[in-house]
Amino acid sequence: MRFLLASAAGLCAFAFAGTALAAYTPRLTITGASQNAGAPGGIKVKFQAGQTDDPTAKATFYVPLGYQLGIPGTAGTQLGTAAASVFAIDLNALVPVTGTVAVANPADFAAQATACTGTASHTSTWALNLSAAGTPLVVPVFVDTVTAGPLALFASATLVICLPPPDLPPGTPGRATLGAKLLTAEFTTSAITNPAALGEYRWRATATPYTPAKGTVNAAATVEVQSLVDLPTKLSLKATVKKTSKKGISLVSYTGTGLSNGQGLSTASVDLLKGSSATVVKKFKTQSTDANGAFSGSFAQRQAKTATKVYILARVTTQDRDLGPSGCTATFVPPASPFSIPCLDATVGGVTVSSTIVKASIPAAPKPKPRKKGH
């Protein structure tokens, strides 16, 4: 609430002062480590901004109702991994950034927390411990559970990140290391558990840029972006074995269906894998689901001298989808907010889901008929 009220007051002041809107079009994509309802394992947050966009000053991620936030208490506990792409102004180059996400000691980031959110007190503090071109970069994440107030209507928790300005002259206090301008950031955290109920869950983020080359936050240019997660996503698979007219050959037929939030995964790519054991299967075919998420097919399997088994696995993959402005439902509008924050874009994150392995029994090849004596 303190953060929301402070942000609202600041945004109002800037809005009425007539600060120009920024060239700023970020995007948010959320995917889960598991696509099962109620499953642990965590989520991946992906935040993107264009290279020609104004630099990002602050991003607040709103965890939807239904997700459960676990609060690991020991500093140093690893929660996941992190990766980013930054444009390092000092190097005039795109630089890949990798690292880990860990629980941090809040006292180490008290000053940054107050500057970023208006308070040093948070439910938990995480640290993105990154390295860019051999230079360490540590980005704190200020985490709070939401139990009351207007945010409780749609969020169970918030994750807040503030970044230093990259485009000030070198040597300016508070300037980003290497003049690093964030383009893409991805981080995973195992501290978030999927909702138990089937449904569509709308993640939200508000993002605010800097005024270019000034190091001042352009609060009036704050925008909202969203990402939709459908749970659960499941893939079924069944197999049957039939005789064929060809001696020593069985026909294995399979059927399956991909469903997300009870709806068919239309025109999704399905890989079929098979092998002689449940632990070693190799892809032998790729096909697409129909409009209802269903797929089917068959393959010939040679019979051996004794009965054998063939193990089959299906794996469906969907790609990230951009729903555009029409898929984005603005959250921060009156009366929930004293002014409107535009909702620019919504996405649906791509997922990969495997079926359970099914076993098909292949009969032994017919024994050759004994030759008659005298022939």
Side-chain angles (χ1 to χ4, degrees):
M1 275 302 298
R2 287 193 298 267
F3 161 71
L4 184 64
L5 293 173
S7 298
L11 285 169
C12 268
F14 275 95
F16 286 112
T19 304
L21 290 177
Y24 191 56
T25 55
R27 179 180 297 180
L28 173 70
T29 308
I30 302 292
T31 53
S34 171
Q35 303 307 311
N36 294 325
I43 52 92
K44 180 174 75 173
V45 177
K46 183 177 182 180
F47 180 82
Q48 298 169 278
Q51 186 168 342
T52 59
D53 282 8
D54 294 345
T56 298
K58 181 176 186 176
T60 302
F61 306 96
Y62 302 89
V63 181
L65 295 175
Y67 284 86
Q68 299 296 316
L69 177 67
I71 307 298
T74 305
T77 301
Q78 186 168 329
L79 302 176
T81 59
S85 174
V86 302
F87 183 78
I89 295 174
D90 295 354
L91 305 176
N92 192 31
L94 288 171
V95 178
V97 180
T98 58
T100 61
V101 182
V103 178
N105 181 355
D108 294 341
F109 298 100
Q112 293 97 316
T114 301
C116 180
T117 67
T119 177
S121 177
H122 295 282
T123 303
S124 183
T125 301
W126 303 341
L128 309 184
N129 298 306
L130 307 169
S131 177
T135 301
L137 303 172
V138 180
V139 180
V141 182
F142 306 109
V143 182
D144 287 290
T145 55
V146 177
T147 58
L151 294 184
L153 297 175
F154 59 85
S156 62
T158 59
L159 317 176
V160 185
I161 295 175
C162 287
L163 301 172
D167 54 355
L168 299 178
T172 303
R175 179 180 184 264
T177 302
L178 300 177
K181 178 182 178 181
L182 178 69
L183 303 182
T184 301
E186 298 181 18
F187 66 90
T188 63
T189 172
S190 59
I192 297 177
T193 300
N194 284 351
L198 174 150
E200 179 184 83
Y201 295 88
R202 188 175 295 264
W203 285 72
R204 299 164 170 87
T206 52
T208 305
Y210 284 107
T211 301
K214 293 187 179 295
T216 55
V217 176
N218 187 359
T222 298
V223 296
E224 181 184 4
V225 287
Q226 299 177 344
S227 186
L228 279 60
V229 176
D230 289 319
L231 292 173
T233 300
K234 295 183 177 181
L235 187 65
S236 64
L237 181 66
K238 295 180 180 180
T240 57
V241 179
K242 298 179 181 179
K243 294 180 179 180
T244 69
S245 58
K246 293 184 178 180
K247 187 176 180 180
I249 299 294
S250 291
L251 183 69
V252 181
S253 298
Y254 58 84
T255 60
T257 304
L259 297 175
S260 185
N261 187 18
Q263 304 297 313
L265 286 172
S266 174
T267 62
S269 176
V270 180
D271 290 335
L272 278 303
L273 302 88
K274 66 176 180 176
S276 57
S277 74
T279 56
V280 181
V281 290
K282 294 183 179 180
K283 185 173 73 172
F284 69 93
K285 187 176 184 180
T286 298
Q287 61 189 95
S288 295
T289 60
D290 63 18
N292 297 315
F295 63 95
S296 62
S298 61
F299 60 90
Q301 186 73 16
R302 186 174 298 277
Q303 299 167 346
K305 291 181 179 180
T306 60
T308 57
K309 310 288 184 185
V310 60
Y311 296 85
I312 312 163
L313 173 73
R315 182 178 295 135
V316 66
T317 301
T318 65
Q319 303 301 315
D320 291 351
R321 290 188 290 129
D322 187 358
L323 303 180
S326 62
C328 201
T329 303
T331 307
F332 301 96
V333 296
S337 172
F339 51 88
S340 295
I341 296 176
C343 198
L344 295 189
D345 182 77
T347 66
V348 177
V351 299
T352 297
V353 177
S354 296
S355 70
T356 56
I357 291 182
V358 299
K359 179 175 62 176
S361 299
I362 309 300
K367 293 182 179 180
K369 295 180 179 180
R371 298 180 64 182
K372 294 181 179 180
K373 293 182 179 180
H375 291 273

